[in-house]
Amino acid sequence: MVRTRRGRTTTAIVAATVLLALPSSSCAASAGPGGDRPIDCRGWSWPNPHTVKNARPVYSLTSGKWGNEVDVTLWRGDAGPRGEWHYWAALTGRTRPGDAVWLDVWPPGGGPWHRCGPFPVGRDGQAVSSPMAVWRDYTLVKACGRHDDFSACGRDKGAMVD
């Protein structure tokens, strides 16, 4: 079961964006649940409240096994010199080491899904994120996460249909 959370305050949005920790793992990762192939996202920008404007959640999900412990959120914000839409995945809540978040992208010209991540949690309660995919480069994105050895992904999101 996946349910959507609504009604977050602007303060929570800003706080989640500001608190996103930059994990030390490489963006090029091995394939696994979610994305079928790794993607080299080392050159992608990280979400930063000084460079991303109008950040807002596209969706948040909590999967049945997670209860109300963690949220995997797909975020969108305006960044870059031309204000392009950027998308990233974030994991927040009662996280613990072993949890992780990643961003699945559907590359131009077709699939399969490619994975940017995973980006692991290093300590209890740490918020982590993926770097940002630019909408002009990818036609579909989805946020995915792992908590207590259970993985889930949100729905596909066509960046230009937002």
Side-chain angles (χ1 to χ4, degrees):
M1 174 179 120
V2 175
R3 67 179 180 263
T4 303
R5 291 192 168 189
R6 298 183 190 269
R8 303 267 179 179
T9 64
T10 303
T11 303
I13 292 169
V14 172
T17 304
V18 171
L19 294 175
L20 293 175
L22 300 180
S24 60
S25 70
S26 167
C27 294
S30 61
D36 292 333
R37 297 177 182 202
I39 190 168
D40 186 355
C41 53
R42 287 178 288 206
W44 295 5
S45 299
W46 290 92
N48 179 322
H50 300 291
T51 58
V52 177
K53 306 297 181 218
N54 303 316
R56 68 177 186 88
V58 176
Y59 63 74
S60 284
L61 64 96
T62 300
S63 186
K65 285 190 172 190
W66 296 347
N68 290 321
E69 290 190 8
V70 297
D71 284 317
V72 173
T73 304
L74 179 66
W75 286 86
R76 185 188 90 189
D78 305 327
R82 295 179 300 274
E84 301 97 345
W85 286 351
H86 286 64
Y87 289 83
W88 66 96
L91 177 67
T92 58
R94 292 186 294 224
T95 62
R96 47 189 152 271
D99 295 352
V101 69
W102 59 93
L103 184 70
D104 279 354
V105 296
W106 189 267
W113 286 100
H114 288 63
R115 176 189 274 192
C116 174
F119 301 95
V121 170
R123 65 184 184 284
D124 287 346
Q126 181 183 17
V128 293
S129 76
S130 72
M132 302 181 296
V134 182
W135 73 266
R136 72 175 181 271
D137 295 334
Y138 300 99
T139 56
L140 294 173
V141 293
K142 62 183 174 180
C144 303
R146 179 180 62 238
H147 177 65
D148 285 344
D149 295 323
F150 178 76
S151 297
C153 291
R155 66 188 182 276
D156 303 354
K157 185 64 185 173
M160 294 184 69
V161 183
D162 202 28

PDB file of all heavy atoms in Angstrom, residues 65-97:
ATOM      1  N   LYS A  65       4.975  -1.308   5.190  1.00  0.00           N
ATOM      2  CA  LYS A  65       5.914  -1.834   6.175  1.00  0.00           C
ATOM      3  C   LYS A  65       6.622  -0.727   6.954  1.00  0.00           C
ATOM      4  O   LYS A  65       7.142  -0.955   8.024  1.00  0.00           O
ATOM      5  CB  LYS A  65       6.947  -2.730   5.512  1.00  0.00           C
ATOM      6  CG  LYS A  65       6.409  -4.074   5.118  1.00  0.00           C
ATOM      7  CD  LYS A  65       7.540  -4.981   4.701  1.00  0.00           C
ATOM      8  CE  LYS A  65       7.014  -6.379   4.502  1.00  0.00           C
ATOM      9  NZ  LYS A  65       8.069  -7.352   4.323  1.00  0.00           N
ATOM     10  N   TRP A  66       6.670   0.476   6.388  1.00  0.00           N
ATOM     11  CA  TRP A  66       7.369   1.577   7.035  1.00  0.00           C
ATOM     12  C   TRP A  66       6.516   2.280   8.071  1.00  0.00           C
ATOM     13  O   TRP A  66       7.034   3.066   8.865  1.00  0.00           O
ATOM     14  CB  TRP A  66       7.837   2.606   6.024  1.00  0.00           C
ATOM     15  CG  TRP A  66       8.844   2.106   5.042  1.00  0.00           C
ATOM     16  CD1 TRP A  66       9.550   0.938   5.115  1.00  0.00           C
ATOM     17  CD2 TRP A  66       9.256   2.740   3.850  1.00  0.00           C
ATOM     18  NE1 TRP A  66      10.369   0.815   4.034  1.00  0.00           N
ATOM     19  CE2 TRP A  66      10.212   1.905   3.237  1.00  0.00           C
ATOM     20  CE3 TRP A  66       8.919   3.920   3.244  1.00  0.00           C
ATOM     21  CZ2 TRP A  66      10.828   2.234   2.050  1.00  0.00           C
ATOM     22  CZ3 TRP A  66       9.534   4.251   2.055  1.00  0.00           C
ATOM     23  CH2 TRP A  66      10.486   3.418   1.462  1.00  0.00           C
ATOM     24  N   GLY A  67       5.211   2.056   8.042  1.00  0.00           N
ATOM     25  CA  GLY A  67       4.338   2.786   8.951  1.00  0.00           C
ATOM     26  C   GLY A  67       4.481   4.267   8.707  1.00  0.00           C
ATOM     27  O   GLY A  67       4.486   4.712   7.571  1.00  0.00           O
ATOM     28  N   ASN A  68       4.628   5.028   9.754  1.00  0.00           N
ATOM     29  CA  ASN A  68       4.829   6.476   9.624  1.00  0.00           C
ATOM     30  C   ASN A  68       6.258   6.865   9.955  1.00  0.00           C
ATOM     31  O   ASN A  68       6.512   7.962  10.399  1.00  0.00           O
ATOM     32  CB  ASN A  68       3.851   7.224  10.532  1.00  0.00           C
ATOM     33  CG  ASN A  68       2.439   7.114  10.032  1.00  0.00           C
ATOM     34  OD1 ASN A  68       2.209   7.159   8.834  1.00  0.00           O
ATOM     35  ND2 ASN A  68       1.503   6.963  10.944  1.00  0.00           N
ATOM     36  N   GLU A  69       7.202   5.950   9.749  1.00  0.00           N
ATOM     37  CA  GLU A  69       8.580   6.208  10.149  1.00  0.00           C
ATOM     38  C   GLU A  69       9.354   7.098   9.195  1.00  0.00           C
ATOM     39  O   GLU A  69      10.074   7.983   9.628  1.00  0.00           O
ATOM     40  CB  GLU A  69       9.324   4.880  10.336  1.00  0.00           C
ATOM     41  CG  GLU A  69       8.844   4.111  11.546  1.00  0.00           C
ATOM     42  CD  GLU A  69       9.737   2.929  11.872  1.00  0.00           C
ATOM     43  OE1 GLU A  69      10.815   2.780  11.263  1.00  0.00           O
ATOM     44  OE2 GLU A  69       9.349   2.166  12.756  1.00  0.00           O
ATOM     45  N   VAL A  70       9.279   6.842   7.895  1.00  0.00           N
ATOM     46  CA  VAL A  70      10.078   7.600   6.931  1.00  0.00           C
ATOM     47  C   VAL A  70       9.227   8.006   5.738  1.00  0.00           C
ATOM     48  O   VAL A  70       8.197   7.395   5.471  1.00  0.00           O
ATOM     49  CB  VAL A  70      11.310   6.808   6.428  1.00  0.00           C
ATOM     50  CG1 VAL A  70      12.270   6.503   7.560  1.00  0.00           C
ATOM     51  CG2 VAL A  70      10.897   5.552   5.699  1.00  0.00           C
ATOM     52  N   ASP A  71       9.676   9.030   5.054  1.00  0.00           N
ATOM     53  CA  ASP A  71       9.057   9.476   3.812  1.00  0.00           C
ATOM     54  C   ASP A  71      10.103   9.472   2.709  1.00  0.00           C
ATOM     55  O   ASP A  71      11.223   9.927   2.926  1.00  0.00           O
ATOM     56  CB  ASP A  71       8.530  10.909   3.921  1.00  0.00           C
ATOM     57  CG  ASP A  71       7.245  11.010   4.700  1.00  0.00           C
ATOM     58  OD1 ASP A  71       6.365  10.162   4.496  1.00  0.00           O
ATOM     59  OD2 ASP A  71       7.134  11.934   5.512  1.00  0.00           O
ATOM     60  N   VAL A  72       9.717   8.987   1.554  1.00  0.00           N
ATOM     61  CA  VAL A  72      10.497   9.154   0.337  1.00  0.00           C
ATOM     62  C   VAL A  72       9.741  10.209  -0.459  1.00  0.00           C
ATOM     63  O   VAL A  72       8.558  10.034  -0.745  1.00  0.00           O
ATOM     64  CB  VAL A  72      10.608   7.846  -0.458  1.00  0.00           C
ATOM     65  CG1 VAL A  72      11.290   8.093  -1.799  1.00  0.00           C
ATOM     66  CG2 VAL A  72      11.355   6.802   0.335  1.00  0.00           C
ATOM     67  N   THR A  73      10.407  11.298  -0.788  1.00  0.00           N
ATOM     68  CA  THR A  73       9.743  12.417  -1.452  1.00  0.00           C
ATOM     69  C   THR A  73      10.448  12.740  -2.758  1.00  0.00           C
ATOM     70  O   THR A  73      11.673  12.826  -2.799  1.00  0.00           O
ATOM     71  CB  THR A  73       9.740  13.663  -0.545  1.00  0.00           C
ATOM     72  OG1 THR A  73       9.127  13.320   0.699  1.00  0.00           O
ATOM     73  CG2 THR A  73       8.989  14.816  -1.187  1.00  0.00           C
ATOM     74  N   LEU A  74       9.661  12.931  -3.813  1.00  0.00           N
ATOM     75  CA  LEU A  74      10.180  13.469  -5.061  1.00  0.00           C
ATOM     76  C   LEU A  74       9.967  14.972  -4.994  1.00  0.00           C
ATOM     77  O   LEU A  74       8.843  15.436  -4.819  1.00  0.00           O
ATOM     78  CB  LEU A  74       9.456  12.881  -6.277  1.00  0.00           C
ATOM     79  CG  LEU A  74       9.930  13.424  -7.633  1.00  0.00           C
ATOM     80  CD1 LEU A  74      11.379  13.008  -7.897  1.00  0.00           C
ATOM     81  CD2 LEU A  74       9.023  12.940  -8.752  1.00  0.00           C
ATOM     82  N   TRP A  75      11.057  15.729  -5.108  1.00  0.00           N
ATOM     83  CA  TRP A  75      11.025  17.188  -5.038  1.00  0.00           C
ATOM     84  C   TRP A  75      11.241  17.780  -6.425  1.00  0.00           C
ATOM     85  O   TRP A  75      11.909  17.188  -7.270  1.00  0.00           O
ATOM     86  CB  TRP A  75      12.144  17.693  -4.130  1.00  0.00           C
ATOM     87  CG  TRP A  75      11.879  17.477  -2.687  1.00  0.00           C
ATOM     88  CD1 TRP A  75      12.142  16.360  -1.965  1.00  0.00           C
ATOM     89  CD2 TRP A  75      11.302  18.410  -1.778  1.00  0.00           C
ATOM     90  NE1 TRP A  75      11.761  16.549  -0.659  1.00  0.00           N
ATOM     91  CE2 TRP A  75      11.237  17.791  -0.521  1.00  0.00           C
ATOM     92  CE3 TRP A  75      10.830  19.712  -1.916  1.00  0.00           C
ATOM     93  CZ2 TRP A  75      10.728  18.442   0.599  1.00  0.00           C
ATOM     94  CZ3 TRP A  75      10.329  20.353  -0.793  1.00  0.00           C
ATOM     95  CH2 TRP A  75      10.284  19.708   0.447  1.00  0.00           C
ATOM     96  N   ARG A  76      10.719  18.990  -6.616  1.00  0.00           N
ATOM     97  CA  ARG A  76      10.975  19.757  -7.827  1.00  0.00           C
ATOM     98  C   ARG A  76      11.328  21.177  -7.427  1.00  0.00           C
ATOM     99  O   ARG A  76      10.728  21.745  -6.524  1.00  0.00           O
ATOM    100  CB  ARG A  76       9.759  19.801  -8.730  1.00  0.00           C
ATOM    101  CG  ARG A  76      10.081  20.498 -10.053  1.00  0.00           C
ATOM    102  CD  ARG A  76       8.872  20.738 -10.880  1.00  0.00           C
ATOM    103  NE  ARG A  76       8.365  22.061 -10.498  1.00  0.00           N
ATOM    104  CZ  ARG A  76       7.212  22.559 -10.897  1.00  0.00           C
ATOM    105  NH1 ARG A  76       6.415  21.847 -11.635  1.00  0.00           N
ATOM    106  NH2 ARG A  76       6.847  23.753 -10.536  1.00  0.00           N
ATOM    107  N   GLY A  77      12.302  21.741  -8.108  1.00  0.00           N
ATOM    108  CA  GLY A  77      12.666  23.131  -7.871  1.00  0.00           C
ATOM    109  C   GLY A  77      13.253  23.739  -9.123  1.00  0.00           C
ATOM    110  O   GLY A  77      13.641  23.037 -10.055  1.00  0.00           O
ATOM    111  N   ASP A  78      13.294  25.066  -9.152  1.00  0.00           N
ATOM    112  CA  ASP A  78      13.886  25.799 -10.269  1.00  0.00           C
ATOM    113  C   ASP A  78      15.352  26.052  -9.934  1.00  0.00           C
ATOM    114  O   ASP A  78      15.668  26.590  -8.878  1.00  0.00           O
ATOM    115  CB  ASP A  78      13.184  27.140 -10.471  1.00  0.00           C
ATOM    116  CG  ASP A  78      11.685  26.986 -10.661  1.00  0.00           C
ATOM    117  OD1 ASP A  78      11.269  25.963 -11.231  1.00  0.00           O
ATOM    118  OD2 ASP A  78      10.942  27.881 -10.229  1.00  0.00           O
ATOM    119  N   ALA A  79      16.226  25.648 -10.838  1.00  0.00           N
ATOM    120  CA  ALA A  79      17.660  25.850 -10.607  1.00  0.00           C
ATOM    121  C   ALA A  79      18.327  26.080 -11.952  1.00  0.00           C
ATOM    122  O   ALA A  79      17.736  25.862 -13.006  1.00  0.00           O
ATOM    123  CB  ALA A  79      18.266  24.636  -9.916  1.00  0.00           C
ATOM    124  N   GLY A  80      19.548  26.505 -11.916  1.00  0.00           N
ATOM    125  CA  GLY A  80      20.285  26.728 -13.149  1.00  0.00           C
ATOM    126  C   GLY A  80      20.079  28.136 -13.673  1.00  0.00           C
ATOM    127  O   GLY A  80      19.199  28.862 -13.237  1.00  0.00           O
ATOM    128  N   PRO A  81      20.877  28.509 -14.651  1.00  0.00           N
ATOM    129  CA  PRO A  81      20.837  29.873 -15.171  1.00  0.00           C
ATOM    130  C   PRO A  81      19.521  30.219 -15.869  1.00  0.00           C
ATOM    131  O   PRO A  81      19.134  31.369 -15.918  1.00  0.00           O
ATOM    132  CB  PRO A  81      22.016  29.928 -16.143  1.00  0.00           C
ATOM    133  CG  PRO A  81      22.302  28.515 -16.500  1.00  0.00           C
ATOM    134  CD  PRO A  81      21.889  27.697 -15.305  1.00  0.00           C
ATOM    135  N   ARG A  82      18.837  29.224 -16.400  1.00  0.00           N
ATOM    136  CA  ARG A  82      17.577  29.481 -17.089  1.00  0.00           C
ATOM    137  C   ARG A  82      16.367  29.053 -16.261  1.00  0.00           C
ATOM    138  O   ARG A  82      15.256  29.017 -16.778  1.00  0.00           O
ATOM    139  CB  ARG A  82      17.583  28.770 -18.444  1.00  0.00           C
ATOM    140  CG  ARG A  82      18.635  29.335 -19.397  1.00  0.00           C
ATOM    141  CD  ARG A  82      18.647  28.618 -20.727  1.00  0.00           C
ATOM    142  NE  ARG A  82      18.941  27.196 -20.622  1.00  0.00           N
ATOM    143  CZ  ARG A  82      20.158  26.666 -20.595  1.00  0.00           C
ATOM    144  NH1 ARG A  82      21.217  27.452 -20.654  1.00  0.00           N
ATOM    145  NH2 ARG A  82      20.336  25.372 -20.523  1.00  0.00           N
ATOM    146  N   GLY A  83      16.580  28.716 -15.006  1.00  0.00           N
ATOM    147  CA  GLY A  83      15.481  28.323 -14.133  1.00  0.00           C
ATOM    148  C   GLY A  83      14.840  27.003 -14.513  1.00  0.00           C
ATOM    149  O   GLY A  83      13.642  26.814 -14.327  1.00  0.00           O
ATOM    150  N   GLU A  84      15.630  26.068 -15.048  1.00  0.00           N
ATOM    151  CA  GLU A  84      15.086  24.776 -15.449  1.00  0.00           C
ATOM    152  C   GLU A  84      14.554  24.017 -14.239  1.00  0.00           C
ATOM    153  O   GLU A  84      15.064  24.152 -13.134  1.00  0.00           O
ATOM    154  CB  GLU A  84      16.165  23.900 -16.115  1.00  0.00           C
ATOM    155  CG  GLU A  84      16.790  24.491 -17.336  1.00  0.00           C
ATOM    156  CD  GLU A  84      18.109  25.181 -17.027  1.00  0.00           C
ATOM    157  OE1 GLU A  84      18.410  25.441 -15.846  1.00  0.00           O
ATOM    158  OE2 GLU A  84      18.826  25.487 -17.984  1.00  0.00           O
ATOM    159  N   TRP A  85      13.553  23.191 -14.478  1.00  0.00           N
ATOM    160  CA  TRP A  85      13.062  22.327 -13.411  1.00  0.00           C
ATOM    161  C   TRP A  85      14.081  21.245 -13.142  1.00  0.00           C
ATOM    162  O   TRP A  85      14.628  20.632 -14.052  1.00  0.00           O
ATOM    163  CB  TRP A  85      11.749  21.673 -13.810  1.00  0.00           C
ATOM    164  CG  TRP A  85      10.569  22.573 -13.799  1.00  0.00           C
ATOM    165  CD1 TRP A  85      10.491  23.842 -13.314  1.00  0.00           C
ATOM    166  CD2 TRP A  85       9.278  22.260 -14.301  1.00  0.00           C
ATOM    167  NE1 TRP A  85       9.237  24.345 -13.492  1.00  0.00           N
ATOM    168  CE2 TRP A  85       8.468  23.389 -14.097  1.00  0.00           C
ATOM    169  CE3 TRP A  85       8.729  21.146 -14.921  1.00  0.00           C
ATOM    170  CZ2 TRP A  85       7.137  23.427 -14.472  1.00  0.00           C
ATOM    171  CZ3 TRP A  85       7.408  21.187 -15.288  1.00  0.00           C
ATOM    172  CH2 TRP A  85       6.618  22.306 -15.066  1.00  0.00           C
ATOM    173  N   HIS A  86      14.326  21.014 -11.865  1.00  0.00           N
ATOM    174  CA  HIS A  86      15.207  19.942 -11.412  1.00  0.00           C
ATOM    175  C   HIS A  86      14.404  19.056 -10.466  1.00  0.00           C
ATOM    176  O   HIS A  86      13.572  19.554  -9.699  1.00  0.00           O
ATOM    177  CB  HIS A  86      16.419  20.511 -10.666  1.00  0.00           C
ATOM    178  CG  HIS A  86      17.436  21.142 -11.553  1.00  0.00           C
ATOM    179  ND1 HIS A  86      17.183  22.257 -12.319  1.00  0.00           N
ATOM    180  CD2 HIS A  86      18.707  20.802 -11.796  1.00  0.00           C
ATOM    181  CE1 HIS A  86      18.266  22.585 -12.989  1.00  0.00           C
ATOM    182  NE2 HIS A  86      19.214  21.708 -12.689  1.00  0.00           N
ATOM    183  N   TYR A  87      14.658  17.769 -10.507  1.00  0.00           N
ATOM    184  CA  TYR A  87      13.970  16.798  -9.652  1.00  0.00           C
ATOM    185  C   TYR A  87      14.996  16.024  -8.848  1.00  0.00           C
ATOM    186  O   TYR A  87      16.068  15.689  -9.353  1.00  0.00           O
ATOM    187  CB  TYR A  87      13.167  15.806 -10.508  1.00  0.00           C
ATOM    188  CG  TYR A  87      11.958  16.423 -11.142  1.00  0.00           C
ATOM    189  CD1 TYR A  87      12.058  17.143 -12.325  1.00  0.00           C
ATOM    190  CD2 TYR A  87      10.711  16.285 -10.554  1.00  0.00           C
ATOM    191  CE1 TYR A  87      10.941  17.720 -12.911  1.00  0.00           C
ATOM    192  CE2 TYR A  87       9.584  16.855 -11.134  1.00  0.00           C
ATOM    193  CZ  TYR A  87       9.709  17.567 -12.310  1.00  0.00           C
ATOM    194  OH  TYR A  87       8.601  18.125 -12.878  1.00  0.00           O
ATOM    195  N   TRP A  88      14.662  15.739  -7.577  1.00  0.00           N
ATOM    196  CA  TRP A  88      15.529  14.924  -6.740  1.00  0.00           C
ATOM    197  C   TRP A  88      14.680  14.147  -5.747  1.00  0.00           C
ATOM    198  O   TRP A  88      13.536  14.469  -5.487  1.00  0.00           O
ATOM    199  CB  TRP A  88      16.589  15.766  -6.042  1.00  0.00           C
ATOM    200  CG  TRP A  88      16.094  16.749  -5.024  1.00  0.00           C
ATOM    201  CD1 TRP A  88      16.030  16.557  -3.664  1.00  0.00           C
ATOM    202  CD2 TRP A  88      15.608  18.075  -5.254  1.00  0.00           C
ATOM    203  NE1 TRP A  88      15.548  17.685  -3.050  1.00  0.00           N
ATOM    204  CE2 TRP A  88      15.271  18.636  -4.007  1.00  0.00           C
ATOM    205  CE3 TRP A  88      15.422  18.846  -6.404  1.00  0.00           C
ATOM    206  CZ2 TRP A  88      14.760  19.925  -3.874  1.00  0.00           C
ATOM    207  CZ3 TRP A  88      14.914  20.128  -6.268  1.00  0.00           C
ATOM    208  CH2 TRP A  88      14.590  20.653  -5.023  1.00  0.00           C
ATOM    209  N   ALA A  89      15.284  13.087  -5.211  1.00  0.00           N
ATOM    210  CA  ALA A  89      14.619  12.231  -4.232  1.00  0.00           C
ATOM    211  C   ALA A  89      15.227  12.503  -2.863  1.00  0.00           C
ATOM    212  O   ALA A  89      16.430  12.739  -2.747  1.00  0.00           O
ATOM    213  CB  ALA A  89      14.802  10.761  -4.597  1.00  0.00           C
ATOM    214  N   ALA A  90      14.391  12.486  -1.826  1.00  0.00           N
ATOM    215  CA  ALA A  90      14.867  12.696  -0.455  1.00  0.00           C
ATOM    216  C   ALA A  90      14.229  11.666   0.464  1.00  0.00           C
ATOM    217  O   ALA A  90      13.074  11.279   0.275  1.00  0.00           O
ATOM    218  CB  ALA A  90      14.523  14.102   0.022  1.00  0.00           C
ATOM    219  N   LEU A  91      14.991  11.226   1.452  1.00  0.00           N
ATOM    220  CA  LEU A  91      14.509  10.314   2.485  1.00  0.00           C
ATOM    221  C   LEU A  91      14.631  11.039   3.820  1.00  0.00           C
ATOM    222  O   LEU A  91      15.714  11.495   4.187  1.00  0.00           O
ATOM    223  CB  LEU A  91      15.344   9.032   2.502  1.00  0.00           C
ATOM    224  CG  LEU A  91      15.019   7.997   3.572  1.00  0.00           C
ATOM    225  CD1 LEU A  91      13.630   7.398   3.321  1.00  0.00           C
ATOM    226  CD2 LEU A  91      16.071   6.897   3.590  1.00  0.00           C
ATOM    227  N   THR A  92      13.524  11.185   4.528  1.00  0.00           N
ATOM    228  CA  THR A  92      13.511  11.886   5.815  1.00  0.00           C
ATOM    229  C   THR A  92      12.715  11.074   6.831  1.00  0.00           C
ATOM    230  O   THR A  92      12.003  10.144   6.475  1.00  0.00           O
ATOM    231  CB  THR A  92      12.856  13.281   5.673  1.00  0.00           C
ATOM    232  OG1 THR A  92      11.527  13.119   5.175  1.00  0.00           O
ATOM    233  CG2 THR A  92      13.649  14.183   4.738  1.00  0.00           C
ATOM    234  N   GLY A  93      12.832  11.451   8.093  1.00  0.00           N
ATOM    235  CA  GLY A  93      12.072  10.792   9.156  1.00  0.00           C
ATOM    236  C   GLY A  93      12.986  10.032  10.095  1.00  0.00           C
ATOM    237  O   GLY A  93      14.136  10.417  10.313  1.00  0.00           O
ATOM    238  N   ARG A  94      12.477   8.938  10.634  1.00  0.00           N
ATOM    239  CA  ARG A  94      13.235   8.124  11.582  1.00  0.00           C
ATOM    240  C   ARG A  94      14.111   7.126  10.830  1.00  0.00           C
ATOM    241  O   ARG A  94      13.908   5.916  10.902  1.00  0.00           O
ATOM    242  CB  ARG A  94      12.293   7.429  12.552  1.00  0.00           C
ATOM    243  CG  ARG A  94      11.615   8.422  13.491  1.00  0.00           C
ATOM    244  CD  ARG A  94      10.808   7.728  14.547  1.00  0.00           C
ATOM    245  NE  ARG A  94       9.684   7.027  13.939  1.00  0.00           N
ATOM    246  CZ  ARG A  94       8.453   7.036  14.397  1.00  0.00           C
ATOM    247  NH1 ARG A  94       8.168   7.674  15.493  1.00  0.00           N
ATOM    248  NH2 ARG A  94       7.506   6.367  13.775  1.00  0.00           N
ATOM    249  N   THR A  95      15.074   7.683  10.107  1.00  0.00           N
ATOM    250  CA  THR A  95      15.992   6.857   9.326  1.00  0.00           C
ATOM    251  C   THR A  95      17.039   6.242  10.233  1.00  0.00           C
ATOM    252  O   THR A  95      17.234   6.686  11.366  1.00  0.00           O
ATOM    253  CB  THR A  95      16.688   7.698   8.246  1.00  0.00           C
ATOM    254  OG1 THR A  95      17.452   8.719   8.886  1.00  0.00           O
ATOM    255  CG2 THR A  95      15.680   8.331   7.284  1.00  0.00           C
ATOM    256  N   ARG A  96      17.713   5.222   9.713  1.00  0.00           N
ATOM    257  CA  ARG A  96      18.812   4.582  10.447  1.00  0.00           C
ATOM    258  C   ARG A  96      19.818   4.021   9.435  1.00  0.00           C
ATOM    259  O   ARG A  96      19.486   3.849   8.271  1.00  0.00           O
ATOM    260  CB  ARG A  96      18.301   3.518  11.394  1.00  0.00           C
ATOM    261  CG  ARG A  96      17.321   2.545  10.868  1.00  0.00           C
ATOM    262  CD  ARG A  96      16.758   1.689  12.025  1.00  0.00           C
ATOM    263  NE  ARG A  96      15.428   1.207  11.773  1.00  0.00           N
ATOM    264  CZ  ARG A  96      14.291   1.833  12.074  1.00  0.00           C
ATOM    265  NH1 ARG A  96      14.324   3.008  12.633  1.00  0.00           N
ATOM    266  NH2 ARG A  96      13.134   1.306  11.837  1.00  0.00           N
ATOM    267  N   PRO A  97      21.038   3.761   9.870  1.00  0.00           N
ATOM    268  CA  PRO A  97      22.029   3.199   8.959  1.00  0.00           C
ATOM    269  C   PRO A  97      21.464   1.948   8.261  1.00  0.00           C
ATOM    270  O   PRO A  97      20.785   1.134   8.873  1.00  0.00           O
ATOM    271  CB  PRO A  97      23.209   2.856   9.866  1.00  0.00           C
ATOM    272  CG  PRO A  97      23.097   3.860  10.979  1.00  0.00           C
ATOM    273  CD  PRO A  97      21.600   4.005  11.209  1.00  0.00           C
TER     274      PRO A  97
END
